[in-house]
Amino acid sequence: HPQLRGGFGSTAGPMTGVGSSSSNAALSKQQALEEEERRKRELQQRLQSQGINSVFDPTGELASQKTVIDLGSLDSAGFNTFLSNPAPKGVMFECTIRRDRAGLSAVFPGYVLETSTGLVLMRSSKRATKTTSNYLIFSAYDPDNAIGKLRANFIGSEYTLYSGGLNPKKLEGLPPERAYAAAREELACVTYTSTLFNKKPKGPRQMQISTPLVTKTDQRVVCKPLKQQDPTLLTMMQQGDTSRVSIWGNKQPKWNEHIGAYVLNFNKRVTEASVKNFQLVAADDPDTVYLQFGRVGKETFNLDYRHPFSALQAFGICLSAFDYKLCCE
């Protein structure tokens, strides 16, 4: 402290007395600081062991975390497994989606999902020969065999994401075991509030999503409806059946009078306003964001997701946000 040093220099009397007193005081102060630091370390370790953050962080677990998986070192099978399975717990994966609308892609654009380091994960494009919106999703490792498909209804109010596999209609006549093994799995269902015959409300789109439940052992409940009467992700969401599905909704933004727009806190991961921007929260936990998506450039969008979503589910849900919706536009 400057004032203490000035006082010592101007005080009359033997310098040895001043030096001895100063040395003892400095030693005592250093010991107190070391003891305080030791106490803080022990407290922080106890809090971390209980899963508690000792420092208040308004962004919660959305704060940037380093990926603990070296995706570039995985072989084709391991890479596709990572894309399809629930993300590891405790990690927020930061990705970017780049849209290609050049030339003929203006009507049927292509999309590329890559990590924050530029590693391409998946590609997709809108199919030109379908009567409703339809997207095939390919792993970066295998551009010939789709690992997923997103299909919409006519007005764009309902989207279903499927894994690779066959439509149950193509499995008729097969033994039940073979039919079940070959059938595609439902991975997500996304619905948008229909305003086709009503006055369109101001504000962002209203989304509701259902995904197969992920158990405590990180196993995803399989949803493979083979018959028309079998429950689907859509019917289970409509019935509020949470025994087999998780239900999500977009976090409600707040109106900002200063800028005249609805706003959400994306923690600097989204920089431009867009009707496509959204954050997903659980139906029973409206404060924790599990997936967020938004514009950062004309053809560039950031996508962040975490457990229990997989990369494939996150990409498919965001593809539905890109699509034109007769019910909402």
Side-chain angles (χ1 to χ4, degrees):
H1 300 276
Q3 291 183 346
L4 289 177
R5 288 198 296 271
F8 290 152
S10 61
T11 300
M15 292 300 295
T16 55
V18 173
S20 174
S21 173
S22 173
S23 176
N24 291 338
L27 181 61
S28 177
K29 182 177 180 181
Q30 181 64 27
Q31 290 174 337
L33 290 174
E34 291 177 354
E35 176 63 22
E36 179 66 14
E37 288 298 320
R38 184 190 63 79
R39 187 189 67 80
K40 288 181 178 180
R41 286 195 300 269
E42 291 181 353
L43 176 60
Q44 188 173 23
Q45 290 173 355
R46 289 200 301 270
L47 290 173
Q48 289 178 344
S49 67
Q50 301 174 37
I52 301 174
N53 190 352
S54 60
V55 180
F56 173 70
D57 180 6
T59 67
E61 293 184 39
L62 280 178
S64 176
Q65 301 184 40
K66 295 296 183 182
T67 303
V68 295
I69 298 175
D70 183 7
L71 298 177
S73 67
L74 298 178
D75 60 15
S76 177
F79 190 82
N80 289 345
T81 297
F82 166 79
L83 297 179
S84 300
N85 285 356
K89 293 180 179 178
V91 179
M92 176 64 77
F93 288 89
E94 296 184 349
C95 304
T96 298
I97 297 178
R98 303 191 186 280
R99 178 174 59 183
D100 178 15
R101 294 194 293 182
L104 296 177
S105 297
V107 179
F108 302 102
Y111 303 90
V112 176
L113 175 69
E114 59 186 43
T115 67
S116 57
T117 60
L119 177 67
V120 175
L121 299 178
M122 287 176 281
R123 303 177 188 273
S124 182
S125 61
K126 191 171 184 178
R127 303 172 74 185
T129 59
K130 300 297 180 179
T131 56
T132 62
S133 293
N134 196 300
Y135 299 80
L136 288 181
I137 302 173
F138 297 90
S139 163
Y141 260 97
D142 189 353
D144 298 319
N145 299 302
I147 62 172
K149 181 173 76 171
L150 180 72
R151 189 180 68 185
N153 64 357
F154 178 73
I155 63 173
S157 62
E158 296 173 4
Y159 293 77
T160 302
L161 175 67
Y162 301 98
S163 68
L166 297 177
N167 188 319
K169 296 179 181 179
K170 299 180 180 180
L171 301 173
E172 295 177 358
L174 289 179
E177 296 80 6
R178 288 184 58 189
Y180 186 81
R184 64 193 182 188
E185 180 182 351
E186 289 191 359
L187 298 178
C189 177
V190 186
T191 63
Y192 292 85
T193 300
S194 175
T195 57
L196 183 61
F197 304 109
N198 301 303
K199 183 180 179 180
K200 297 182 180 181
K202 292 182 179 181
R205 300 163 171 171
Q206 298 299 305
M207 303 170 63
Q208 192 172 36
I209 294 104
S210 63
T211 56
L213 185 71
V214 175
T215 67
K216 294 181 179 180
T217 58
D218 289 340
Q219 299 299 310
R220 185 170 57 225
V221 173
V222 176
C223 180
K224 285 188 176 184
L226 299 181
K227 301 177 181 178
Q228 188 173 2
Q229 64 270 26
D230 290 344
T232 65
L233 291 179
L234 176 61
T235 58
M236 286 187 282
M237 177 170 61
Q238 292 172 336
Q239 296 167 2
D241 180 6
T242 56
S243 63
R244 296 180 57 192
V245 302
S246 297
I247 299 177
W248 316 86
N250 56 317
K251 189 173 185 178
Q252 296 304 303
K254 297 181 180 179
W255 178 258
N256 187 305
E257 291 288 351
H258 181 67
I259 64 175
Y262 287 91
V263 296
L264 284 169
N265 180 16
F266 287 91
N267 303 299
K268 300 181 181 181
R269 288 287 291 160
V270 175
T271 57
E272 296 188 11
S274 173
V275 70
K276 300 175 180 63
N277 299 351
F278 68 86
Q279 294 178 321
L280 291 188
V281 296
D284 57 353
D285 183 9
D287 297 320
T288 304
V289 175
Y290 289 85
L291 186 155
Q292 67 176 13
F293 171 78
R295 185 191 294 271
V296 292
K298 182 178 180 180
E299 304 295 350
T300 308
F301 301 77
N302 279 344
L303 161 62
D304 303 335
Y305 74 96
R306 64 176 177 179
H307 183 89
F309 288 101
S310 68
L312 178 56
Q313 287 174 319
F315 191 34
I317 291 170
C318 292
L319 286 176
S320 76
F322 281 111
D323 201 42
Y324 178 82
K325 297 164 184 62
L326 184 61
C327 69
C328 300
E329 310 299 348

mmCIF file with all atom_site columns, all heavy atoms in Angstrom, residues 47 80 83 108 163 179 214 218 235 257 321:
data_model
loop_
_atom_site.group_PDB
_atom_site.id
_atom_site.type_symbol
_atom_site.label_atom_id
_atom_site.label_alt_id
_atom_site.label_comp_id
_atom_site.label_asym_id
_atom_site.label_entity_id
_atom_site.label_seq_id
_atom_site.pdbx_PDB_ins_code
_atom_site.Cartn_x
_atom_site.Cartn_y
_atom_site.Cartn_z
_atom_site.occupancy
_atom_site.B_iso_or_equiv
_atom_site.pdbx_formal_charge
_atom_site.auth_seq_id
_atom_site.auth_comp_id
_atom_site.auth_asym_id
_atom_site.auth_atom_id
_atom_site.pdbx_PDB_model_num
ATOM 1  N N   . LEU A 1 47  ? -17.630 -27.610 -4.007  1.00 0.00 ? 47  LEU A N   1
ATOM 2  C CA  . LEU A 1 47  ? -18.767 -27.211 -4.840  1.00 0.00 ? 47  LEU A CA  1
ATOM 3  C C   . LEU A 1 47  ? -18.747 -27.946 -6.174  1.00 0.00 ? 47  LEU A C   1
ATOM 4  O O   . LEU A 1 47  ? -19.782 -28.423 -6.648  1.00 0.00 ? 47  LEU A O   1
ATOM 5  C CB  . LEU A 1 47  ? -18.733 -25.695 -5.081  1.00 0.00 ? 47  LEU A CB  1
ATOM 6  C CG  . LEU A 1 47  ? -19.025 -24.808 -3.874  1.00 0.00 ? 47  LEU A CG  1
ATOM 7  C CD1 . LEU A 1 47  ? -18.796 -23.348 -4.224  1.00 0.00 ? 47  LEU A CD1 1
ATOM 8  C CD2 . LEU A 1 47  ? -20.442 -25.014 -3.371  1.00 0.00 ? 47  LEU A CD2 1
ATOM 9  N N   . ASN A 1 80  ? -20.050 -41.653 -37.748 1.00 0.00 ? 80  ASN A N   1
ATOM 10 C CA  . ASN A 1 80  ? -21.505 -41.722 -37.917 1.00 0.00 ? 80  ASN A CA  1
ATOM 11 C C   . ASN A 1 80  ? -22.203 -42.025 -36.602 1.00 0.00 ? 80  ASN A C   1
ATOM 12 O O   . ASN A 1 80  ? -23.323 -41.560 -36.356 1.00 0.00 ? 80  ASN A O   1
ATOM 13 C CB  . ASN A 1 80  ? -21.863 -42.768 -38.968 1.00 0.00 ? 80  ASN A CB  1
ATOM 14 C CG  . ASN A 1 80  ? -21.480 -42.333 -40.364 1.00 0.00 ? 80  ASN A CG  1
ATOM 15 O OD1 . ASN A 1 80  ? -21.192 -41.157 -40.601 1.00 0.00 ? 80  ASN A OD1 1
ATOM 16 N ND2 . ASN A 1 80  ? -21.466 -43.270 -41.299 1.00 0.00 ? 80  ASN A ND2 1
ATOM 17 N N   . LEU A 1 83  ? -22.506 -38.790 -34.777 1.00 0.00 ? 83  LEU A N   1
ATOM 18 C CA  . LEU A 1 83  ? -23.557 -37.938 -35.333 1.00 0.00 ? 83  LEU A CA  1
ATOM 19 C C   . LEU A 1 83  ? -24.949 -38.379 -34.890 1.00 0.00 ? 83  LEU A C   1
ATOM 20 O O   . LEU A 1 83  ? -25.829 -37.543 -34.677 1.00 0.00 ? 83  LEU A O   1
ATOM 21 C CB  . LEU A 1 83  ? -23.491 -37.956 -36.861 1.00 0.00 ? 83  LEU A CB  1
ATOM 22 C CG  . LEU A 1 83  ? -22.230 -37.397 -37.520 1.00 0.00 ? 83  LEU A CG  1
ATOM 23 C CD1 . LEU A 1 83  ? -22.343 -37.515 -39.034 1.00 0.00 ? 83  LEU A CD1 1
ATOM 24 C CD2 . LEU A 1 83  ? -21.988 -35.947 -37.109 1.00 0.00 ? 83  LEU A CD2 1
ATOM 25 N N   . PHE A 1 108 ? -33.620 -24.793 -54.605 1.00 0.00 ? 108 PHE A N   1
ATOM 26 C CA  . PHE A 1 108 ? -33.397 -25.984 -53.778 1.00 0.00 ? 108 PHE A CA  1
ATOM 27 C C   . PHE A 1 108 ? -32.011 -25.883 -53.144 1.00 0.00 ? 108 PHE A C   1
ATOM 28 O O   . PHE A 1 108 ? -31.048 -26.495 -53.619 1.00 0.00 ? 108 PHE A O   1
ATOM 29 C CB  . PHE A 1 108 ? -33.524 -27.257 -54.620 1.00 0.00 ? 108 PHE A CB  1
ATOM 30 C CG  . PHE A 1 108 ? -34.857 -27.385 -55.301 1.00 0.00 ? 108 PHE A CG  1
ATOM 31 C CD1 . PHE A 1 108 ? -35.000 -27.084 -56.648 1.00 0.00 ? 108 PHE A CD1 1
ATOM 32 C CD2 . PHE A 1 108 ? -35.978 -27.786 -54.582 1.00 0.00 ? 108 PHE A CD2 1
ATOM 33 C CE1 . PHE A 1 108 ? -36.235 -27.190 -57.266 1.00 0.00 ? 108 PHE A CE1 1
ATOM 34 C CE2 . PHE A 1 108 ? -37.219 -27.889 -55.189 1.00 0.00 ? 108 PHE A CE2 1
ATOM 35 C CZ  . PHE A 1 108 ? -37.352 -27.593 -56.529 1.00 0.00 ? 108 PHE A CZ  1
ATOM 36 N N   . SER A 1 163 ? -34.329 -41.595 -39.260 1.00 0.00 ? 163 SER A N   1
ATOM 37 C CA  . SER A 1 163 ? -32.989 -42.141 -39.454 1.00 0.00 ? 163 SER A CA  1
ATOM 38 C C   . SER A 1 163 ? -32.930 -42.834 -40.815 1.00 0.00 ? 163 SER A C   1
ATOM 39 O O   . SER A 1 163 ? -33.933 -42.915 -41.532 1.00 0.00 ? 163 SER A O   1
ATOM 40 C CB  . SER A 1 163 ? -32.665 -43.145 -38.344 1.00 0.00 ? 163 SER A CB  1
ATOM 41 O OG  . SER A 1 163 ? -33.495 -44.302 -38.492 1.00 0.00 ? 163 SER A OG  1
ATOM 42 N N   . ALA A 1 179 ? -38.752 -56.892 -40.571 1.00 0.00 ? 179 ALA A N   1
ATOM 43 C CA  . ALA A 1 179 ? -39.367 -55.594 -40.852 1.00 0.00 ? 179 ALA A CA  1
ATOM 44 C C   . ALA A 1 179 ? -38.931 -54.558 -39.818 1.00 0.00 ? 179 ALA A C   1
ATOM 45 O O   . ALA A 1 179 ? -38.600 -53.413 -40.156 1.00 0.00 ? 179 ALA A O   1
ATOM 46 C CB  . ALA A 1 179 ? -40.882 -55.733 -40.870 1.00 0.00 ? 179 ALA A CB  1
ATOM 47 N N   . VAL A 1 214 ? -34.272 -40.025 -23.754 1.00 0.00 ? 214 VAL A N   1
ATOM 48 C CA  . VAL A 1 214 ? -32.943 -40.580 -23.498 1.00 0.00 ? 214 VAL A CA  1
ATOM 49 C C   . VAL A 1 214 ? -32.880 -40.971 -22.029 1.00 0.00 ? 214 VAL A C   1
ATOM 50 O O   . VAL A 1 214 ? -33.120 -40.148 -21.145 1.00 0.00 ? 214 VAL A O   1
ATOM 51 C CB  . VAL A 1 214 ? -31.837 -39.560 -23.837 1.00 0.00 ? 214 VAL A CB  1
ATOM 52 C CG1 . VAL A 1 214 ? -30.462 -40.107 -23.455 1.00 0.00 ? 214 VAL A CG1 1
ATOM 53 C CG2 . VAL A 1 214 ? -31.871 -39.224 -25.324 1.00 0.00 ? 214 VAL A CG2 1
ATOM 54 N N   . ASP A 1 218 ? -28.066 -43.101 -21.009 1.00 0.00 ? 218 ASP A N   1
ATOM 55 C CA  . ASP A 1 218 ? -27.793 -42.502 -22.323 1.00 0.00 ? 218 ASP A CA  1
ATOM 56 C C   . ASP A 1 218 ? -28.270 -43.366 -23.486 1.00 0.00 ? 218 ASP A C   1
ATOM 57 O O   . ASP A 1 218 ? -27.727 -43.275 -24.593 1.00 0.00 ? 218 ASP A O   1
ATOM 58 C CB  . ASP A 1 218 ? -26.301 -42.186 -22.489 1.00 0.00 ? 218 ASP A CB  1
ATOM 59 C CG  . ASP A 1 218 ? -25.864 -41.015 -21.619 1.00 0.00 ? 218 ASP A CG  1
ATOM 60 O OD1 . ASP A 1 218 ? -26.748 -40.242 -21.211 1.00 0.00 ? 218 ASP A OD1 1
ATOM 61 O OD2 . ASP A 1 218 ? -24.665 -40.899 -21.340 1.00 0.00 ? 218 ASP A OD2 1
ATOM 62 N N   . THR A 1 235 ? -48.059 -38.080 -32.263 1.00 0.00 ? 235 THR A N   1
ATOM 63 C CA  . THR A 1 235 ? -49.227 -38.433 -31.452 1.00 0.00 ? 235 THR A CA  1
ATOM 64 C C   . THR A 1 235 ? -48.882 -38.444 -29.966 1.00 0.00 ? 235 THR A C   1
ATOM 65 O O   . THR A 1 235 ? -49.698 -38.025 -29.140 1.00 0.00 ? 235 THR A O   1
ATOM 66 C CB  . THR A 1 235 ? -49.785 -39.796 -31.871 1.00 0.00 ? 235 THR A CB  1
ATOM 67 O OG1 . THR A 1 235 ? -48.762 -40.805 -31.733 1.00 0.00 ? 235 THR A OG1 1
ATOM 68 C CG2 . THR A 1 235 ? -50.262 -39.757 -33.318 1.00 0.00 ? 235 THR A CG2 1
ATOM 69 N N   . GLU A 1 257 ? -38.382 -2.330  -26.340 1.00 0.00 ? 257 GLU A N   1
ATOM 70 C CA  . GLU A 1 257 ? -38.927 -1.068  -26.848 1.00 0.00 ? 257 GLU A CA  1
ATOM 71 C C   . GLU A 1 257 ? -37.857 -0.225  -27.530 1.00 0.00 ? 257 GLU A C   1
ATOM 72 O O   . GLU A 1 257 ? -38.130 0.507   -28.474 1.00 0.00 ? 257 GLU A O   1
ATOM 73 C CB  . GLU A 1 257 ? -39.545 -0.276  -25.692 1.00 0.00 ? 257 GLU A CB  1
ATOM 74 C CG  . GLU A 1 257 ? -40.810 -0.891  -25.109 1.00 0.00 ? 257 GLU A CG  1
ATOM 75 C CD  . GLU A 1 257 ? -42.000 -0.746  -26.057 1.00 0.00 ? 257 GLU A CD  1
ATOM 76 O OE1 . GLU A 1 257 ? -41.872 -0.024  -27.071 1.00 0.00 ? 257 GLU A OE1 1
ATOM 77 O OE2 . GLU A 1 257 ? -43.044 -1.353  -25.788 1.00 0.00 ? 257 GLU A OE2 1
ATOM 78 N N   . ALA A 1 321 ? -36.361 -25.085 -39.792 1.00 0.00 ? 321 ALA A N   1
ATOM 79 C CA  . ALA A 1 321 ? -36.485 -23.636 -39.615 1.00 0.00 ? 321 ALA A CA  1
ATOM 80 C C   . ALA A 1 321 ? -36.190 -22.883 -40.909 1.00 0.00 ? 321 ALA A C   1
ATOM 81 O O   . ALA A 1 321 ? -36.733 -21.809 -41.150 1.00 0.00 ? 321 ALA A O   1
ATOM 82 C CB  . ALA A 1 321 ? -35.548 -23.166 -38.504 1.00 0.00 ? 321 ALA A CB  1
#
